[in-house]
Amino acid sequence: QVQLVESGGGLVQPGGSLTLSCEASRSGRDLRFGAMGWYRQAPGKQRELVAISSTSTGTNYGSSVKGRFTISRDNAKKTVELTMNSLNEEDTAVYVCCGRAGLREYWGQGTQVTVSS
């Protein structure tokens, strides 16, 4: 079964930084991902785009994180990272890794990021 596995979530103080990582399971290494990225969902809010790295269109960031977050992808290794800087309480959410291969989408289980003093 193809699975995306996130890591790096946790508790961070406002103004701090955190880096999330995502890696496809072994079965997923056989896929060619055209895009990989991150979404997030906070309690009471709908899921929103954080950042996506696409082979065809480059990188796109959600307006709320643009300039603070940076996405990087290693397509050969089927990994993607999200470096988050200048974190604030509004960034608290479950961050979910996603990938697209052909017409199919794959999702991780999510990792909690909590920004609090």
Side-chain angles (χ1 to χ4, degrees):
Q1 180 178 348
V2 176
Q3 182 180 8
L4 300 179
V5 182
E6 305 102 330
S7 63
L11 177 65
V12 63
Q13 293 184 335
S17 299
L18 198 65
T19 297
L20 306 180
S21 298
C22 175
E23 181 178 9
S25 62
R26 187 171 60 85
S27 60
R29 307 290 179 86
D30 297 327
L31 301 175
R32 186 176 69 86
F33 288 90
M36 298 187 74
W38 297 86
Y39 286 78
R40 69 183 183 186
Q41 187 167 21
K45 297 182 179 180
Q46 61 184 350
R47 181 174 294 177
E48 65 174 345
L49 170 70
V50 178
I52 289 181
S53 177
S54 171
T55 302
S56 60
T57 61
T59 58
N60 291 313
Y61 293 91
S63 60
S64 63
V65 307
K66 193 172 185 178
R68 298 187 298 122
F69 291 10
T70 302
I71 187 171
S72 61
R73 181 165 70 103
D74 187 330
N75 193 47
K77 296 181 179 180
K78 308 297 189 295
T79 60
V80 62
E81 292 188 345
L82 181 70
T83 299
M84 305 179 291
N85 299 313
S86 301
L87 288 164
N88 55 65
E89 290 85 350
E90 296 180 358
D91 296 314
T92 296
V94 175
Y95 286 72
V96 185
C97 179
C98 67
R100 186 186 74 244
L103 298 179
R104 298 192 63 182
E105 293 182 346
Y106 302 89
W107 297 85
Q109 82 284 2
T111 184
Q112 177 71 46
V113 173
T114 302
V115 184
S116 177
S117 59

